[in-house]
Amino acid sequence: MASTDTATPAKDAGDLAGLEAGLDALETRQKVRTPFRQTFTEKILPPTVAVLLVLAVWQALVSFKIVDDPTKLPAPSDVWNVVRDAWLQGDLLGYIWTSVSRGLSGFLLALLIGTPLGLLVARVKVVRAAIGPILSGLQSLPSVAWVPPAVIWLGLNNSMMYAVILLGAVPSIANGLVSGVDQISPLFLRAGRTLGATGLKGTWHIVLPAALPGYVAGLKQGWAFSWRSLMAAEIIASFPDLGVGLGQLLENGRNASDMAMVFEAILLILIVGIAIDLLVFSPLERWVLRSRGLLVKS
């Protein structure tokens, strides 16, 4: 009997050790390099096929005379010729840089304003009661509505452009951070206070890291609002001294009834938006999710 009783605790200890080892193995992230074939099949091929399909349908509408008016729908080759000419003349990168530099500068300024504003609204009840509904209302207000008053207040200059971007992006960034803070477990906050992380220290080491998923979502939405706000401002408030951005290019095409130029501007606006998302916000989202164990590399 004694030997049996001695063997049972030993067996239980062995089982417990095995269970712990299994859990550790499950939690360990295997850094396996994804084969190029898998990356190509899962990430490169689908959008490529989608783009080719759109081009094929577009060309078919023109070739089969379904839309036989080039002033309404130019052929893809006509749009390509306009893009190529702009490149050869050295204007294409200028169009893109004028808009991208404004958009990024306005977004960074909105980030500097929206982050402390979001923290203030999230952490101070009186401020939330006073400003919270206003931020939500501003977020739902189309940014194009701010262009006329911004022109009247500031004139046709870059300050007007930045004002429209701020009014479009700041509410989204602030509300994203508020949403992230609201989802923090009270246990984290109590643990932080117990360890002495209060005030600015608690905000930096506890609140911001815990609210990061919602904050990143707000940043992504804030950039989308920044880009759309800028395009609206460039289209409506066009002025030679402001330079020719993508919105101005779109308006120039409309004024000249040049649909190839209109499609050129639309495609460039779309490409820049997709590029910023793929190069900046998608990697940032993946990093946040992976750091919390919510996204495991297969």
Side-chain angles (χ1 to χ4, degrees), residues 30-36 38-39 297-298:
Q30 301 294 328
K31 295 183 179 180
V32 180
R33 187 181 182 127
T34 304
F36 175 76
Q38 180 181 348
T39 302
K297 199 172 190 179
S298 56

Side-chain angles (χ1 to χ4, degrees), residues 111-288:
L111 182 64
L112 294 176
I113 297 174
T115 300
L117 179 62
L119 286 173
L120 192 64
V121 172
R123 304 293 288 167
V124 181
K125 292 182 179 179
V126 176
V127 176
R128 171 175 287 205
I131 301 179
I134 298 176
L135 285 177
S136 299
L138 289 175
Q139 188 174 0
S140 63
L141 181 68
S143 54
V144 68
W146 289 112
V147 178
V151 172
I152 294 173
W153 293 334
L154 301 172
L156 289 171
N157 50 46
N158 281 319
S159 298
M160 176 273 299
M161 300 279 186
Y162 294 136
V164 174
I165 293 174
L166 290 177
L167 290 167
V170 168
S172 296
I173 295 173
N175 280 331
L177 184 52
V178 171
S179 177
V181 172
D182 288 345
Q183 296 174 21
I184 299 175
S185 171
L187 182 61
F188 289 166
L189 301 178
R190 288 198 297 269
R193 287 193 294 268
T194 301
L195 295 173
T198 58
L200 291 177
K201 186 184 293 186
T203 299
W204 180 255
H205 292 287
I206 303 297
V207 176
L208 279 177
L212 202 55
Y215 184 43
V216 170
L219 293 181
K220 185 175 182 179
Q221 190 176 47
W223 164 252
F225 274 89
S226 296
W227 190 237
R228 285 185 287 181
S229 301
L230 176 61
M231 291 302 103
E234 289 185 351
I235 291 171
I236 296 176
S238 59
F239 192 64
D241 291 344
L242 293 175
V244 180
L246 297 178
Q248 175 70 63
L249 180 66
L250 182 61
E251 181 65 9
N252 290 346
R254 185 193 70 84
N255 291 332
S257 298
D258 187 345
M259 284 302 296
M261 184 183 293
V262 169
F263 272 81
E264 174 196 19
I266 292 173
L267 290 175
L268 291 176
I269 293 169
L270 180 63
I271 289 170
V272 170
I274 293 174
I276 295 294
D277 180 73
L278 290 178
L279 296 175
V280 178
F281 293 105
S282 291
L284 184 59
E285 282 184 321
R286 288 196 299 270
W287 174 78
V288 170

Side-chain angles (χ1 to χ4, degrees), residues 29 285-297:
R29 272 178 259 166
E285 282 184 321
R286 288 196 299 270
W287 174 78
V288 170
L289 293 175
R290 192 174 290 119
S291 65
R292 282 158 172 73
L294 301 175
L295 182 64
V296 180
K297 199 172 190 179

